[in-house]
Amino acid sequence: RVEKEAADLSAQAGELEEENATLKATTESMSKVMEATEEEGATLREQLASVEATAAALESQVQDEAHGRTTAEDACRAAEAGLTHARKEALMREEELLAGARKEKDAGEKLGGAVRDAESRV
């Protein structure tokens, strides 16, 4: 009976040794998986940082382009306002010139009439 118990205990010890070896192998495998996972995590963090930097640069570029567009639109409106003012000034000057030409014509006609009157008296 003692021999049977010793054999049973020996068999249990063998099973425990096998289970221990399996657990050690599993632990080593899990350690390797954890290392690989940590390396992949580090790589993904680096990629995320790069993507975030690219996104920030693009956002800055978009803001710069929006500012440039706003500036160009403001300049365009100012140019249009300047052109409108210049047109009004040109029309007013044209009207002044036409009024001056009419006065000169009227004065010329009066002078011509006065010369004719003077000639007819002579």
Side-chain angles (χ1 to χ4, degrees), residues 3-46:
E3 288 177 12
K4 183 177 189 281
E5 285 181 17
D8 285 345
L9 287 175
S10 180
Q12 282 181 346
E15 289 174 7
L16 287 174
E17 285 178 8
E18 284 180 27
E19 188 175 337
N20 187 33
T22 301
L23 288 173
K24 280 184 181 180
T26 301
T27 300
E28 287 178 21
S29 176
M30 291 297 278
S31 291
K32 290 179 182 176
V33 168
M34 283 297 292
E35 287 177 25
T37 301
E38 288 173 1
E39 288 175 9
E40 186 176 348
T43 300
L44 289 174
R45 283 189 292 277
E46 289 173 6

Side-chain angles (χ1 to χ4, degrees), residues 69-81:
R69 184 174 41 253
T70 300
T71 301
E73 289 170 352
D74 290 346
C76 185
R77 280 192 289 278
E80 287 173 350

Side-chain angles (χ1 to χ4, degrees), residues 37-101:
T37 301
E38 288 173 1
E39 288 175 9
E40 186 176 348
T43 300
L44 289 174
R45 283 189 292 277
E46 289 173 6
Q47 289 175 348
L48 177 60
S50 175
V51 167
E52 287 174 342
T54 300
L58 289 173
E59 184 175 334
S60 176
Q61 182 180 357
V62 165
Q63 289 174 350
D64 290 347
E65 289 175 1
H67 177 69
R69 184 174 41 253
T70 300
T71 301
E73 289 170 352
D74 290 346
C76 185
R77 280 192 289 278
E80 287 173 350
L83 182 59
T84 300
H85 180 73
R87 284 180 179 153
K88 287 179 183 177
E89 290 288 325
L91 286 174
M92 288 178 12
R93 180 69 181 136
E94 183 180 3
E95 289 173 5
E96 289 173 1
L97 290 173
L98 287 174

